Amino acid sequence: MRRISPHNSAAGTPSQAARLKDRHVSMISIGGVIGASLFVGSSTAIATAGAGALFSYFLSGIMVMFITRMLGEMTVASPGTGSFVGQIRRGLGPRVAFVAGWLYWIMWATVLGFEAIAAATFLAPYVPLPYLAIELLTVAIMTVVNLFSVRGYGEFEYWFSALKIITIIVFIMLALSGLLGFWSHVKVASGLFSVAGIVPHGTFALFAVIPGIMMSMAGAEITSIAACDTTDPAGNVARSTRTVALRIMIFYLVSIGLILLLLPLSRVVPGSSPFLATLDYIGIPFARTLMTAVMLIATLSALNSGIYITSRVLCDLAENHDAPRMFLQRDGQGTPARAILCGSAVAVIIAVIGMLAPGRVFSFLVSASGTFILFDYVLIVLAHIRLRRACQRNGETVSLPMWGFPFLSYGMLACLFGALVTMFFATDHTCQEIVLSTISLSLIIIVEYLSVGYRTRRRMAQYQTEQNDASGTALRGDPARSS
């Protein structure tokens, strides 16, 4: 099978100065999974699972850590393959990669539209412009950042991620000060360690919230994409794999644990930031303004990364004839301008749909894309298992092996399937999400099969043209045949 690189057929290759540095990839890999879903979405998990949400976050973090390790193993073994979609193509074949790539692209394009609406919501009280104008302006600014150069995206995301990490560290310090008695009115939440506090809605709730937590942590695979724009993809992925997953788990578990210790469950409102509620409870001045700024930064970070990711995945698809070849074109800095503009345009369309039909089309898009990341994680695990089996048959040495193979790999696969099955029995709208996602997945598979014949005929025609050109050249160069 032909191996690909995200730059091997582009019009321009990033220069040394335009590439991402190691510090960019390191910070991107940490900040990529720390977004508005942590600062706001964690309220739903806490309200549903109570103190048991800490167990749910721990289990979800372990699963994300294993996914990261599997990606690290595959990328180090074949750094020239490109993003994780390329690794799926290497392990499971081009048809599965087609489905995985478009699932991922649709998911992030939808996230872009959702984040554009969120950014406009945060900025509307301070910016005297129409709501739609704020959305367009926000998307335009992040698009320009990505069009400028790969390094432009890296620098913005580096500082966005750094601010998010600093926010969590400051929150942990303030929460610890309250826990240690620096604020006389703050006490450990009463009833936390009772049965009602740990599992207020039953044991099933501990597992029902895991799919949502997994979606909030989605971003572990960003490292394999960003590393393609560095001079040492394998080295960057290996370093991130060894350290980042553990740091992410610490950030999540410590901050969520402190919230559970300090904030009474009655004060946790789904859809509202539990971080803000905790700071208000402690009595931190200007907490609302500060958290609004942080959530805006997290939203802009998601927009910035989303535009970058959709463009690179679209390039990967185009490289393998799974998307129009026009999206391969890059400028002198190696920036895929057309792929970037395509993702931004779709984000604007989805944001407008969200304003015009929030209860119909937009809800369908959000619900359908909600479980796509879990489907892709399943494919990553399957690709890893198949590639490791191939290495064992060939007697090859694995440089960055996944722990406990094959037991942990198959266990991870069972957990992911369990998370998908759990969504069918959840009491909220997650059952609808997986049904709509399955319908969307089926449509993508149908499109893939319908396009196989077209792509095969096109490749055969291209091959025949090349053969005819070669024959014509040979005839023109042979004096005996010319005479």
Side-chain angles (χ1 to χ4, degrees), residues 213-446:
I213 296 175
M214 288 285 292
M215 293 170 199
S216 72
M217 291 184 176
E221 69 288 339
I222 294 177
T223 306
S224 70
I225 298 175
C228 294
D229 280 315
T230 66
T231 56
D232 183 19
N236 277 295
V237 170
R239 284 187 290 272
S240 298
T241 300
R242 292 189 181 101
T243 61
V244 170
L246 182 60
R247 281 184 256 170
I248 290 170
M249 287 188 64
I250 291 174
F251 286 140
Y252 269 84
L253 293 178
V254 172
S255 59
I256 296 298
L258 288 170
I259 290 173
L260 291 169
L261 285 171
L262 291 172
L263 192 65
L265 290 178
S266 59
R267 288 176 173 258
V268 179
V269 179
S272 299
S273 173
F275 288 78
L276 174 58
T278 302
L279 295 178
D280 281 338
Y281 179 66
I282 294 175
I284 304 299
F286 308 109
R288 184 168 300 277
T289 301
L290 292 174
M291 285 307 302
T292 299
V294 170
M295 287 186 285
L296 175 60
I297 290 172
T299 300
L300 294 177
S301 173
L303 274 172
N304 192 36
S305 289
I307 293 172
Y308 173 83
I309 292 168
T310 53
S311 65
R312 270 54 182 185
V313 170
L314 192 56
C315 281
D316 193 320
L317 291 169
E319 177 72 28
N320 291 273
H321 302 275
D322 292 332
R325 302 282 289 179
M326 60 179 287
F327 294 118
L328 278 175
Q329 182 177 352
R330 295 174 182 258
D331 60 19
Q333 296 292 321
T335 303
R338 291 181 178 179
I340 290 173
L341 292 174
C342 178
S344 299
V346 172
V348 170
I349 293 172
I350 293 175
V352 172
I353 291 174
M355 293 178 58
L356 299 179
R360 295 183 179 181
V361 181
F362 185 70
S363 296
F364 170 78
L365 290 172
V366 174
S367 297
S369 64
T371 53
F372 282 179
I373 188 62
L374 293 181
F375 284 133
D376 273 342
Y377 280 173
V378 168
L379 296 179
I380 288 172
V381 176
L382 290 173
H384 163 260
I385 292 173
R386 189 168 184 180
L387 290 172
R388 173 67 80 86
R389 292 294 190 191
C391 288
Q392 291 177 339
R393 288 194 301 270
N394 298 331
E396 300 174 359
T397 302
V398 180
S399 301
L400 189 68
M402 166 64 185
W403 311 288
F405 183 86
F407 304 105
L408 288 181
S409 297
Y410 283 109
M412 180 67 193
L413 193 61
C415 288
L416 287 172
F417 276 118
L420 291 171
V421 171
T422 299
M423 299 178 74
F424 276 111
F425 302 97
T427 56
D428 54 12
H429 298 292
T430 52
C431 178
Q432 178 187 3
E433 290 179 12
I434 195 170
V435 170
L436 293 176
S437 299
T438 304
I439 294 174
S440 301
L441 174 62
S442 301
L443 292 175
I444 292 175
I445 293 175
I446 291 172

